[in-house]
Amino acid sequence: MLSVVVTEVYDDFILVIDAGDINHIKNAFRKVKGDKIRAVDGANEYLCEIEKIEDKVKSFVSLRKELALEEAKKLDEKRKNGEKLGKLAGIPLAIKDNILMEGQKLTSCSKILENYVGIYDATVVKKLKEEDAIILGVTNMDEFAMGSTTKTSYHHKTANPWDLDRVPGGSSGGAAASVAAQEVPISLGSDTGGSVRQPASFCGVVGLKPTYGRVSRYGLMAFASSLDQIGTLAKTVEDVAICMNVIAGADDYDATVSKNEVPDYTEFLNKDIKGLKVGLPKEYFIEGLNPEIKKIVDNSVNALKELGAEIVEVSLPHTKYAVPTYYVLAPAEASSNLARFDGIRYGYRAKDYTDLESLYVKTRSEGFGAEVKRRIMIGTYVLSAGFYDAYFKKAQKVRTLIKQDFENVLNEVDVILTPVAPSVAFKLSDTKTPIELYLEDIFTISANLAGVPAISLSGGLIDNLPVGVQFMGRPFDEGTLIKVSSALENKIGRLNLPKLD
Ligand code: GLN
């Protein structure tokens, strides 16, 4: 590892990583650009911080220490030579264990990929590198992104930085914890049914799931291809906007990405929201919702009213079908996507097998964890000849109805405000049944089924545990989500993230 001389410049950087610094990325970038700080010092400072607290929080499954420092050193040389620097020059960040990076061990937190090394850069990784970001490591997640606790990871459990006995949420739990613990300012996650927004809510950070087709999925290990999107977790709405400016946009390698122009998302920050119409769907405020969480949403409603927004009650009548619809469609797609892990082409292969079939069976039995097997079995069942019409086809039809609900409501209002999750982060020791866990997704999965963008930001605390509120918006209108979230963040303030020294 490169040795770094500690100077006062170093102190400057500590100021930059302070939780109270709202212009985190912008300032860090200015400092790198303005030659006040070497990128290598910045990267090293973050790596030291990670080393100090990682034992407690365990956000990462692997670090890129040497490589990151080398890249930072090259960036410093680039600056010295007067070359143009990228939009994220010197900004340290982390990616989830299911986003490919050339030469990096990536496992989707599954035993079946325990020795897999990425053979190319995902489009988002390529874009981050082109803009001179420094990727410090790879974060923990639920196996193949199936879950909401990060407990199904093959590697280890991640703790919630607010209370180390609690889950960070999932499946992008490592990503959310890494930002909340201030190990990195930005983490990329993936969101198939809430996996960016729910951990963001549990960890008191901001998480954006873009519109389906806004960000390339090329190089994202597929869970449910018609629902998956890569999203950003950061400490502030501004940092999310800055990152979105880099990762969004058309990609020749992913035909589902829109060619729509990408606006400058930072243009939507700190704007007046007078007259903005905010819908409150009555189906989201039902019995079973923790009354304390309801209070936090009410508090945001009042803040938005004070800012001049117009609050309208709306109805998304098919909401009650969202969980069953998702848990037919997502496993169906997963069972098909995960068929490629057969012991021949990727990663783990069972030792004692007698023929090809036993190689498949043993490899998959030993390589996949319980939740992944459950989903593969559900998926295979709902797709099988005798049940296809009754389950898969029916669920596709209901998905259309859910999408139409959103189209109708978003004709009437600019954004929809809801809770993110029905509860605060649960204890690591809580043993919830699969069904109980699936029901926890009730407020987040509709956005994926409808393909609309959604953002989660902190609404407040319950017994010192963060609680997020969610805005959902029109397809490709992330701008309005950023606008309303920025206004709300300015009005109610951001949480002071916990210090884990
Ligand atoms: N909790 C949901 C699930 O288990 C969502 C996961 C995700 O968004 N990747 O499928």
Side-chain angles (χ1 to χ4, degrees), residues 96 145-148 170-171 190-195 223 326-327 375 441:
K96 188 172 172 176
M146 298 173 191
S148 13
S171 64
S190 65
D191 190 313
T192 305
S195 276
F223 162 10
Y326 173 89
Y327 279 98
R375 307 254 181 142
D441 297 336

Side-chain angles (χ1 to χ4, degrees), residues 156-198:
H156 52 249
K157 294 186 178 71
T158 294
N160 188 317
W162 289 83
D163 175 348
L164 299 176
D165 290 331
R166 291 181 186 265
V167 301
S171 64
S172 313
S178 69
V179 175
Q182 298 170 73
E183 296 177 306
V184 280
I186 300 187
S187 253
L188 289 193
S190 65
D191 190 313
T192 305
S195 276
V196 161
R197 291 159 286 153
Q198 183 256 24

Side-chain angles (χ1 to χ4, degrees), residues 223-336:
F223 162 10
S225 313
S226 77
L227 302 159
D228 298 339
Q229 266 295 283
I230 290 175
T232 305
L233 295 109
K235 288 195 284 192
T236 67
V237 175
E238 178 174 35
D239 285 358
V240 166
I242 292 171
C243 187
M244 272 297 285
N245 279 354
V246 171
I247 64 170
D251 179 16
D252 289 344
Y253 292 106
D254 178 356
T256 62
V257 186
S258 163
K259 293 199 165 51
N260 284 356
E261 205 186 311
V262 179
D264 176 355
Y265 292 110
T266 61
E267 295 276 311
F268 294 88
L269 299 163
N270 310 315
K271 290 276 187 290
D272 193 352
I273 58 159
K274 221 185 197 136
L276 191 93
K277 282 193 177 168
V278 179
L280 289 181
K282 60 177 190 225
E283 293 80 4
Y284 281 62
F285 298 92
I286 38 161
E287 232 178 281
L289 173 67
N290 177 336
E292 295 291 315
I293 290 186
K294 164 92 174 45
K295 257 194 226 160
I296 284 184
V297 181
D298 288 346
N299 192 27
S300 294
V301 169
N302 292 334
L304 291 167
K305 275 187 194 156
E306 279 173 33
L307 291 167
E310 195 185 318
I311 310 292
V312 189
E313 190 188 89
V314 294
S315 172
L316 295 163
H318 296 93
T319 299
K320 61 174 179 283
Y321 303 115
V323 170
T325 302
Y326 173 89
Y327 279 98
V328 169
L329 297 180
E333 293 189 30
S335 73
S336 161

